[in-house]
């Protein structure tokens, strides 16, 4: 058999992944035209490159359809319910860094912490008759984080894009989103809560615990681990 390595199919995440492997003696490359999703690996036998969207890679690892995968740790923690049983983290890769944070309007001068947010949410519900809305696409991570920190009286509303604009558009009162510099948040009149870091994400190499591993694969995997020093 062949070990299948899932890598983001485009953009800076793909480029940085290729660079990371190349620095360790494994050359990953796309085959054919720019929009084609075939690829190859040079430098080791028995390893096949599979180009996927970053969001697909956690699912493919958990289903055992790929053996290894590179994706953001935020996506793995959001999409997989029983992480320890399905995937193993092999190596944080040192790029693709971004923080999943809770942010509120800058004019909420008395709301700087999660305790403040909890109080504001209770007051909001009493004043308006419905729960304070937090726009996000990271429902699992945000819900677990807010529960662990005792925040109640809120509701999550789904936002798959332009989340920072939902407060200005009055479809949410606060947001939970990924940010790297905070510039877009500030441009939209938002501030990050002092203790509002939900998850610090970066590109990470994962191994599937449920994929089929034959003896030849294990030999190849041992060579990969030695080459990558993991």
């Amino acid at each position: 058999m062949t070990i299948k390595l899932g890598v983001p199919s485009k953009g800076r995440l793909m480029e940085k992944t290729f660079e990371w492997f190349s620095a360790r003696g494994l050359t990953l490359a796309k085959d054919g035209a720019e929009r084609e999703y075939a690829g190859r690996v040079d430098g080791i036998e028995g390893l096949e490159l599979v180009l996927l969207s970053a969001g697909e890679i956690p699912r493919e690892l958990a289903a055992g359809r790929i053996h290894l995968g590179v994706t953001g740790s935020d996506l793995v923690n959001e999409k997989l319910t029983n992480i320890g049983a399905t995937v193993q983290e092999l190596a944080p890769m040192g790029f693709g860094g971004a923080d999943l944070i809770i942010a509120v309007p800058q004019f909420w001068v008395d709301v700087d912490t999660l305790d403040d947010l909890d109080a504001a949410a209770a007051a909001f519900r009493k004043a308006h008759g419905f729960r304070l809305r937090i726009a996000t696409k990271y429902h699992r991570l945000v819900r677990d984080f807010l529960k662990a920190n005792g925040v109640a009286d809120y509701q999550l509303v789904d936002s798959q894009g332009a989340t920072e604009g939902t407060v200005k558009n009055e479809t949410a009162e606060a947001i939970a989103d990924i940010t790297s510099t905070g510039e877009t948040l500030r441009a939209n009149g938002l501030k990050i809560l002092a203790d509002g870091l939900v998850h610090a994400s970066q590109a990470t190499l994962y191994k599937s615990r449920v994929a089929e591993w034959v003896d030849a694969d294990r030999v190849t995997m041992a060579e990969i681990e030695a080459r990558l020093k993991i």
Side-chain angles (χ1 to χ4, degrees):
M1 289 185 67
T2 301
I3 292 177
K4 293 183 177 181
L5 166 64
V7 166
S9 58
K10 59 185 177 181
R12 184 165 176 79
L13 201 53
M14 181 190 76
E15 295 168 2
K16 296 295 287 185
T17 299
F18 283 11
E19 291 172 8
W20 190 89
F21 277 93
S22 177
R24 291 157 178 80
L26 299 178
T27 301
L28 312 184
K30 292 184 77 169
D31 282 337
E34 179 64 26
R35 293 184 180 275
E36 292 183 5
Y37 296 121
R40 68 182 188 277
V41 181
D42 297 324
I44 194 168
E45 295 294 325
L47 181 61
E48 176 186 346
L49 177 61
V50 181
L51 295 169
L52 300 163
S53 74
E56 289 178 302
I57 290 171
R59 180 191 66 203
E60 296 300 293
L61 285 165
R65 289 187 285 265
I66 58 175
H67 300 78
L68 302 171
V70 174
T71 190
S73 57
D74 59 315
L75 295 174
V76 168
N77 282 274
E78 173 65 21
K79 292 175 177 290
L80 302 186
T81 55
N82 192 1
I83 296 175
T86 52
V87 299
Q88 175 188 355
E89 180 182 308
L90 292 183
M93 301 172 77
F95 59 87
D99 293 337
L100 174 59
I101 52 80
I102 309 288
V104 300
Q106 291 173 353
F107 64 81
W108 287 13
V109 294
D110 294 328
V111 181
D112 293 309
T113 67
L114 290 167
D115 283 345
D116 296 337
L117 179 63
D118 183 49
F124 182 92
R125 186 177 186 186
K126 185 176 180 180
H128 298 279
F130 63 93
R131 288 186 172 91
L132 180 146
R133 298 165 296 179
I134 302 175
T136 189
K137 67 177 180 179
Y138 295 94
H139 292 245
R140 183 193 310 280
L141 280 169
V142 173
R143 186 180 297 110
D144 290 350
F145 177 77
L146 293 177
K147 181 179 179 180
N149 285 278
V151 180
D153 274 338
Y154 70 90
Q155 58 179 315
L156 298 181
V157 293
D158 193 52
S159 175
Q160 294 298 319
T163 302
E164 299 93 340
T166 56
V167 175
K168 278 189 175 180
N169 294 332
E170 299 183 350
T171 56
E173 285 70 50
I175 72 162
D177 201 16
I178 286 285
T179 184
S180 53
T181 66
E183 289 182 10
T184 305
L185 294 171
R186 289 188 289 274
N188 283 275
L190 300 171
K191 62 180 180 179
I192 301 171
L193 295 182
D195 52 356
L197 176 62
V198 179
H199 178 79
S201 181
Q202 67 173 301
T204 302
L205 176 63
Y206 291 94
K207 176 182 178 181
S208 173
R209 294 187 184 275
V210 296
E212 183 179 356
W213 294 83
V214 300
D215 288 344
D217 294 335
R218 295 187 181 92
V219 172
T220 301
M221 188 65 211
E223 184 179 350
I224 293 169
E225 289 174 338
R227 191 79 64 86
L228 300 181
K229 295 181 172 59
I230 55 176

